[in-house]
Amino acid sequence: MTVNTIYFTIMAFSFRNIMTIFRRSAYSKYNTLSGSELVPSVSLLVPAYNEELTVIENVKCLLTLNYPTYEVIVINDGSSDNTLGVLREEFGLEPLPNPEIRNAIDCQPITAVYYNPQYPHLYVIDKPNGGKADSLNAGINLSHYPLISSIDADSLLEKDALIRMARMYMENPEETVAIGGDVRIANGCLIENGAVKEVSLPRKMWPMFQAVEYLKAFLGGRIGWSSINGLIIVSGAFGMFRKDYVIAVGGYRGGYPGEDMNIIIKLHRYMLENKLKYRVAFCPEAVCWTQAPDTYRILSNQRKRWGRGNLKNMIENYDMAFNPKYKVMGLLTMPYNIFFEALNPYFKITGLLALIGYTFMDMTNWRILVVFGLINILSGYLLSIGALFLEELAFKRFTKVSDLARLLLFSALKFVGYAQLGGLWRIQGHIQFMRNNNSWGTMTRTSWKEESKAKTA
């Protein structure tokens, strides 16, 4: 109940801001900026490890964005598949002699940089495997522009996503250090030429649960947290950063997952310790479509990895919790994340064990238990409905009544097994952390073309 109460408070902040976001999304003249020289240039960094099935569509999508000046830097992180080969063949890339690489941040040595003058804004780095954080650091070392944007190789940006983010950045460029975009599930959508042509929900169960989850987390949560400058994460799938500050904090941390949370915590810490005005913003109208795990095995591996990364970040930064020096981050965000994200599964388990004990000792009243359980489920369900209401107020991307009905159905079904699995995966991630297991597990991709064939079949 405490968690839900906090969620309701954060969602109240989201509702308070949603109409401002709607007006900005509907009436902003962001399109006029797409040809403006005033818009800051951006380097798009795309870490790619075994992404041969999705990377071509991803790059084609990125090369056609509505944005005046930008470059796309794909970092092949020692892939064991043919990621580099398909990129070279598709874009006719050849090794670039004497590329200008700054060693602003430590990373694995860059083996080669590939380039084709016919695609003057595309670079491909080849390097030994070092992980996503290491790849982003390598991309920063090659990048030429003051803003960087991290994008997953299994994700697609909407054409105006970057210019919408830039518009938000230009409102307050001195204080804006990072902006997160809205990440949505692409499984089930019709994809053509690297763009989402028709929005639809996944047909499989696991991506469908994630669609509900993402809607609640991004619209119900991150709008609210960003309004009080308490955002603890900008999704690695799509975010924009000021490069000078990312370099100032030493770049991305390698060796563990959770690099997207870690870089935001480091930015908060740096700005607050140096008494610099800043904001970490969220731009829900800048949309990135990502491919969600569609099997139990892949999803559980992803969530265990998230659990490890979260725990590692909380242990590393425990000194920020309850520390007034770190303002909202210290007094609200970090304590919330420690107690209600990292430790939440253990509260549930101990509560369940206590309940079982009380029942055996005949110290409970079943009517009270039923009422309490129903209130808990209903409050959680209302949070999902609230997120869907935010979506319909501002964006209306789901045009089919059947899709809205499915979202409502799966919002209820997630309480019967899926929510409990989430807690179990988090605990398993913590056990892996204690055992110093830092493997990433197997992440199997599906070609966007295959996804679209399945959609049209």
Side-chain angles (χ1 to χ4, degrees), residues 250-438:
Y252 288 84
R253 182 200 61 199
Y256 261 90
E259 73 291 327
D260 45 3
M261 176 183 285
N262 183 260
I263 191 70
I264 295 300
I265 294 175
K266 286 203 296 188
L267 287 170
H268 278 291
R269 181 189 286 275
Y270 179 86
M271 302 305 285
L272 290 164
E273 289 181 350
N274 289 282
K275 298 182 173 25
L276 299 170
K277 284 188 176 181
Y278 77 104
R279 68 169 180 165
V280 177
F282 176 60
C283 185
E285 62 267 40
V287 174
C288 168
W289 295 91
T290 194
Q291 201 175 88
D294 61 359
T295 66
Y296 176 89
R297 182 177 60 85
I298 299 173
L299 177 60
S300 63
N301 283 337
Q302 182 197 60
R303 298 309 166 93
K304 291 172 197 173
R305 196 171 65 243
W306 288 5
R308 273 183 279 149
N310 184 287
L311 184 60
K312 172 77 172 173
N313 280 313
M314 293 305 102
I315 291 173
E316 281 184 348
N317 297 282
Y318 73 92
D319 60 307
M320 294 177 74
F322 303 107
N323 190 338
K325 173 181 172 183
Y326 297 104
K327 298 185 177 178
V328 174
M329 271 299 287
L331 297 178
L332 283 178
T333 305
M334 292 296 290
Y336 170 83
N337 203 73
I338 290 171
F339 285 102
F340 302 119
E341 293 292 340
L343 300 180
N344 181 271
Y346 305 103
F347 293 150
K348 288 180 177 176
I349 288 175
T350 52
L352 179 63
L353 292 176
L355 188 62
I356 293 172
Y358 289 147
T359 303
F360 276 113
M361 295 168 68
D362 199 23
M363 295 172 65
T364 57
N365 182 312
W366 69 269
R367 292 182 181 83
I368 294 176
L369 287 179
V370 169
V371 170
F372 184 80
L374 288 175
I375 290 174
N376 202 27
I377 290 174
L378 182 62
S379 58
Y381 189 53
L382 285 175
L383 287 168
S384 295
I385 292 176
L388 186 55
F389 193 45
L390 287 168
E391 158 68 24
E392 288 303 294
L393 275 176
F395 306 111
K396 297 183 175 64
R397 289 182 184 274
F398 300 107
T399 56
K400 302 174 192 169
V401 175
S402 59
D403 279 350
L404 296 176
R406 288 187 70 208
L407 283 169
L408 289 173
L409 175 64
F410 274 79
S411 296
L413 290 178
K414 73 176 184 179
F415 295 105
V416 189
Y418 185 76
Q420 292 75 17
L421 280 174
L424 175 64
W425 292 331
R426 206 172 302 174
I427 291 172
Q428 289 177 314
H430 293 177
I431 294 171
Q432 289 178 345
F433 174 79
M434 299 300 178
R435 291 178 172 175
N436 205 25
N437 178 345
N438 198 26

